Amino acid sequence: MSYKHPITVWITGLPASGKTTLGKALQGLISQLKIPVVLLDGDEVRKGLCSDLGFSPADRTENIRRVANLAALLNSQGVVTICCFVSPLISMREMARSIVGPKNFFEVFTDAPVGVCQSRDTKGNYCKAINGSLPNFTGISDSYEAPMNPSLRLNTAELSEGEAADILYDHFLRWVDK
């Protein structure tokens, strides 16, 4: 496989739609190719780089701005970056695309209905949001704007983890060879 340039794989979708699961699977597969790869996960980034931010619209936008700049920096150093972030608004993802660069930005939509995501939610966040104890929760009290034309749409309600990971990996191989 020829490796022409590093890219940012931006995986977006509702909480518990499979973003991080797929991101980790892709990271493992890319690592086997001896290509440098980093996974940036929303929960982990909020523990450090963005620990000073809340979930207001301005803070969410700043979170995505910081992550996109980090992804662009990593790409400039030859590192494939996998970003697993809800990034609920189209405007946020477009900002990320403009920072990373449209040639290097590949948006993956983990498409699953709220009910499926709620049934997968091991943290109990959907229940907390429904009960009102977790405000500004995407999919319940805050909206999610699905991508209009993602580079790849994965119906994670119907595909197994393995099937979705295989499809994502196949697309990745085509993207980095362009």
Side-chain angles (χ1 to χ4, degrees), residues 14-17 112-131 137-140:
L14 288 171
S17 63
V114 171
V116 170
C117 295
Q118 187 176 356
S119 71
R120 295 177 178 165
D121 180 23
T122 58
K123 299 174 193 171
N125 288 334
Y126 279 93
C127 287
K128 291 176 191 171
I130 290 167
N131 294 334
F137 189 76
T138 305
I140 302 298

Side-chain angles (χ1 to χ4, degrees), residues 82-104:
I82 303 167
C83 297
C84 305
F85 290 82
V86 172
S87 44
L89 303 179
I90 291 170
S91 61
M92 290 176 178
R93 297 187 300 270
E94 286 306 311
M95 174 188 60
R97 182 186 311 275
S98 71
I99 291 168
V100 169
K103 176 179 139 189
N104 294 344

Side-chain angles (χ1 to χ4, degrees), residues 144-157:
Y144 178 81
E145 298 173 353
M148 301 290 231
N149 295 300
S151 304
L152 178 62
R153 178 187 167 273
L154 294 170
N155 184 335
T156 57

Side-chain angles (χ1 to χ4, degrees), residues 4 25 30 38 43 49 61 71 74 81-82 115 126 135 145 150 152 161:
K4 297 200 174 157
I30 293 170
V38 169
D43 289 341
L49 179 65
T61 299
L74 289 165
T81 308
I82 303 167
Y126 279 93
E145 298 173 353
L152 178 62
E161 288 178 19

